[in-house]
Amino acid sequence: MCEEAKLQEWAKGVTSRRELGLMAGAVTLVACAPADLGESDGASQTAAAMGISESAVTFDTADGVMDAFFVHPDDGRHPAVIIWPDIGSLRESKRNMARRLASQGYAVLVLNPYYRDVVGDQFTDFADFIDKGGFQMVRPWREKHNAQTIGSDAIAAVAFLDAQDAVDGQRGVGVHGFCMGGPLSVWSAAAVPGRIKGAASFHGGGLTRQDDPMSPHRTLDRSDAAFLIAVSQDDDARDPESKTIFAQAAEAAGRPAIVEVYAGDHGWTVPDSPVYNAVVADKAFADLLGFYGQYL
């Protein structure tokens, strides 16, 4: 999982890391833009050149009004995907990741997992998260996340997506998350079995909780989804049994599951993460596209 002690270690030299994170975010976005675009004057110009439309949206949930970021191809109807962010929540690096996926033919909704307490971006990047004492800020917000609350959020998010002209309601919905978003994605799949057909976790923590009867791995028999569980190498070194427990739970539930350890440390997929690894992140993205292509 994303641990406070690890982030404090990353905080050394944080200014240079912020610069690197911003550059990585730009690379992520421009990498999927048309080859003749050249330098972008901003994310909206790049998005337009990529043939996608985007907007900030809100919709009702059982607990209030959730704010989110919605991006999709300009034309046609497409399979929908929900993204649960990592501990840093909504911010530009997550919007860039959604734009990249939308450019591949998906209608993508990035949720604000902290909407019960705050609206919009709370951190610009992980460097800002460290500077603001992010763990202390988000701790009371995260305490409201459990199988029931996340399940009701997922139901509301799918209902929102199914009402959008850009979404193909005949195709399955995908959901994936990063860090804390991994277990939220598994809970989401259990909550909306008729619609969510693929769920993925990238360096997700807390997927196999020994003393929790609603641990994500214990909800797989409620789901109709296939699973892609991408484990970071350092998380696996610390808890090598977790991947086996999840794989065995999926087999017992009769759910297809790919459980793989990647050659990146926790956070390797996220452009503003101090341990972002572009090569391994591109592999994860390609694997996600193949996974969604098969199951949605």
Side-chain angles (χ1 to χ4, degrees):
M1 297 178 64
C2 195
E3 296 178 342
E4 188 167 2
K6 183 178 290 185
L7 275 180
Q8 291 300 329
E9 181 181 346
W10 289 341
K12 300 173 183 177
V14 73
T15 301
S16 62
R17 287 197 227 286
R18 178 183 285 114
E19 294 169 353
L20 287 171
L22 291 173
M23 288 190 292
V27 169
T28 296
L29 187 55
V30 174
C32 57
D36 60 353
L37 177 64
E39 293 187 7
S40 172
D41 294 330
S44 59
Q45 179 180 341
T46 305
M50 292 161 62
I52 58 177
S53 299
E54 61 184 56
S55 58
V57 299
T58 60
F59 54 90
D60 291 336
T61 74
D63 292 333
V65 177
M66 179 181 283
D67 57 296
F69 174 73
F70 185 45
V71 58
H72 55 83
D74 289 333
D75 301 314
R77 298 171 69 85
H78 308 274
V81 171
I82 296 166
I83 295 180
W84 284 108
D86 53 33
I87 196 169
S89 192
L90 270 174
R91 58 192 190 280
E92 195 62 14
S93 72
K94 290 301 175 189
R95 285 187 280 268
N96 282 346
M97 296 174 83
R99 292 175 181 120
R100 186 183 188 190
L101 183 58
S103 75
Q104 300 300 307
Y106 293 91
V108 186
L109 184 68
V110 189
L111 305 179
N112 171 14
Y114 304 140
Y115 76 94
R116 291 174 177 84
D117 295 280
V118 293
V119 176
D121 296 21
Q122 302 303 308
F123 312 101
T124 56
D125 53 27
F126 263 116
D128 188 45
F129 181 92
I130 295 167
D131 290 344
K132 290 180 177 177
F135 270 99
Q136 290 72 32
M137 285 181 64
V138 308
R139 185 172 290 118
W141 309 340
R142 292 182 68 191
E143 289 174 353
K144 298 173 183 176
H145 294 166
N146 56 52
Q148 181 178 355
T149 58
I150 296 305
S152 67
D153 290 348
I155 291 169
V158 170
F160 169 83
L161 286 165
D162 281 343
Q164 306 308 307
D165 291 340
V167 171
D168 184 351
Q170 302 303 308
R171 302 280 295 274
V173 175
V175 58
H176 65 275
F178 305 86
C179 186
M180 74 172 196
L184 307 192
S185 298
V186 178
W187 280 334
S188 297
V192 201
R195 292 293 288 117
I196 295 180
K197 302 300 182 181
S201 166
F202 294 95
H203 40 88
L207 293 172
T208 58
R209 309 176 189 195
Q210 291 185 350
D211 300 325
D212 183 356
M214 290 301 291
S215 172
H217 79 287
R218 294 193 176 103
T219 67
L220 302 185
D221 58 354
R222 307 181 184 199
S223 174
D224 293 335
F227 294 89
L228 170 62
I229 307 299
V231 184
S232 68
Q233 60 187 3
D234 54 341
D235 286 342
D236 183 62
R238 186 180 62 236
D239 185 8
E241 297 302 316
S242 181
K243 64 180 182 297
T244 303
I245 293 170
F246 193 97
Q248 290 175 342
E251 183 177 6
R255 304 314 313 151
I258 302 166
V259 182
E260 179 180 346
V261 178
Y262 283 65
D265 287 336
H266 186 97
W268 89 85
T269 63
V270 182
D272 65 0
S273 164
V275 296
Y276 175 66
N277 185 317
V279 173
V280 189
D282 282 347
K283 169 180 164 47
F285 184 70
D287 291 346
L288 180 67
L289 289 180
F291 175 74
Y292 281 158
Q294 180 176 357
Y295 291 106
L296 302 191

